Amino acid sequence: MDKILGETLACWTEKHPLLNDIVKTKEVFWINPLYGKCRKALDEISLSMMDIEDASQRLIRFAPYLEKVFPETSPFGGIIESPLREIPLMKSSLEDFCDSRLEGSLMAKCDSHLPISGSIKARGGIYEVLKHAEDLAFENGLLKPYDDYSILANDEFREFYSKYSIAVGSTGNLGLSIGIMSAKLGFRVFVHMSADAKEWKKSLLRSKGVTVVEYDSDYSLAVKEGRRQSEGDPLMHFVDDENSETLFLGYSVAALRLAKQFQELEVTVDEKHPLFVYLPCGVGGGPGGVAFGLKAVFGDSVHCFFAEPTHSPCMLIGMMTGLHEKVSVQDFAIDNLTEADGLAVGRPSGFVGKTMKKLISGIFTSTDKNLYRLLGMLADSEDLWLEPSALAGFPGPCLIEGSEKGKEYLKRHGLEAENILHLAWATGGSMVPEETMKGYYEKSKI
Ligand SMILES: *Cc1c(COP(=O)(O)O)cnc(C)c1O
């Protein structure tokens, strides 16, 4: 094998022994040695609670518009939010899965059932399109912050936005969110899809008038092409999944909403009753943004873990080596081929990796086979139907309570397993066509 950024593979594995298993696509669990006190880590980054509040306020301004154009959001007053649910039967199934008792409790945050686009991308993706639309309307004197934003549904605005276009690179779900939202506002939209993108996502977008450009290559190329298309076109906005602070902040608002849901359920999260959150990770914007928000809201009481497929552990390699976006899984001869299409990313976001380097507790990986097994278990036990990517976080409770590394982590932080609330972030699935879901379920039984 060629040298990787000037060093041999042997040299990298000596520095980071876990790489031996990672390159063999074995499941691993990495505890972040840089994880630190929240206050200090947050002080070192440029974004703050004020930015999260600002994003939250923007979504509140848009609520009357969303309520009008997406009636499914009207029960929640135009706020795009997902259910939080206890999944005790899945906890029992997980105990069988990992053959160890779980003392903590288990919940799922069902972003799979977010209105409009049925995945975590309905947070960041839709937020960035709305912010862009607001910026344009403000600049052109068509809108004021205190206006009733439902006027954005008028023809006058749709005509105004039709002069502008939006481009994005995606493995599927981001394109779905950006495409649906942009088309609704009246923008022209170009979605550059990687080879992983599922056919039904492309057809759905085309039916909404979105231009879908297909590539026979992975996500990094789709993003590059989208970026290139928008360069030199001042009327085109590129949604940059690898670098966008706007996307990141859109995701982060989830934490304020979750805190409210905990309050309503009278669930306590504090130093002695820690919240452990497991977030499926692709390029990093979604899980990174949510985790950033969670750290800002819950501080040291929340412990965030990213979860990746064994064939696409880009954030793990990037954070562990400190090389971030400079390295891809392909550099380590890992193929980036996974059924978890939402996570099929070979090169992580450097912005997210660096921003979160002291805030993330660790990262673990799962084989596709286990993602499918978990898919079947969750469907059977709780009647909750997710797409394969969304299962990546579910081994989390097993690793924390059942593995040596997990137990050591609890001990180091003075935590008792029985006081833990495990929260698996269920990132997508409700829009998967029934036939496709049936196929997933059948695979879970093999
Ligand atoms: C995109 C996606 C993720 C991960 O988000 P990133 O921002 O790419 O890290 C997780 N789950 C699903 C279902 C997704 O579509």
Side-chain angles (χ1 to χ4, degrees), residues 30 32 34 45 242-243 248 281 283-285 288-289 306 314-316 318-320 322-325 348-360 363:
W30 174 71
N32 180 10
L34 297 182
I45 60 185
E242 291 174 336
N243 299 293
F248 189 81
C281 180
V283 71
F306 287 168
C314 67
M315 189 59 77
L316 170 57
M319 283 186 121
M320 186 170 71
L323 294 169
H324 300 293
E325 82 286 2
S349 159
F351 156 62
V352 172
K354 289 166 204 166
T355 301
M356 301 307 291
K357 71 178 179 192
K358 295 184 180 175
L359 292 167
I360 290 301
I363 303 179

Side-chain angles (χ1 to χ4, degrees), residues 118-121 171-174 201 219 241 247 251 279-288 307 315 341-343 345 387-390 425-429:
S119 84
I120 187 170
K121 306 297 194 307
T171 62
N173 284 339
L174 185 62
K201 293 181 185 174
Y219 164 84
D241 202 11
L247 269 177
Y251 289 118
L279 296 143
C281 180
V283 71
M315 189 59 77
D341 52 324
L343 313 180
V345 177
E387 62 186 89
S389 299
W425 214 277
T427 46

